[in-house]
Amino acid sequence: METTEKDKLVFSITLEELQSEALGKIGRTLTDEEIQVARKGLEFGLYTDINTVYATIFSELIGK
């Protein structure tokens, strides 16, 4: 399956990055169950306030 330009990712968090954050914050890697909880938390956090994220991005762009 070929990815078109419009389908390319702009932002992603890999499992390796998540585990690295867990090591830094709680001193260990996450279990599979904890990864699912983290995934839900990340999705909720990003989707809940995406308008603020976009507003900040575009304000920065306009201000420069």
Side-chain angles (χ1 to χ4, degrees):
M1 177 187 227
E2 191 171 319
T3 302
T4 63
E5 187 67 27
K6 69 178 184 171
D7 293 327
K8 287 185 180 178
L9 290 177
V10 175
F11 181 80
S12 70
I13 298 171
T14 65
L15 181 55
E16 180 179 11
E17 292 167 325
L18 179 60
Q19 293 290 26
S20 177
E21 285 296 316
L23 275 172
K25 301 283 192 257
I26 63 173
R28 64 175 177 80
T29 58
L30 303 175
T31 65
D32 288 341
E33 184 177 309
E34 290 171 326
I35 291 168
Q36 293 308 313
V37 171
R39 178 176 289 154
K40 287 180 185 178
L42 286 165
E43 288 173 355
F44 177 80
L46 293 173
Y47 289 135
T48 301
D49 208 17
I50 195 69
N51 288 331
T52 301
V53 173
Y54 283 137
T56 302
I57 291 167
F58 296 128
S59 291
E60 290 261 332
L61 293 173
I62 292 169
K64 290 186 177 185

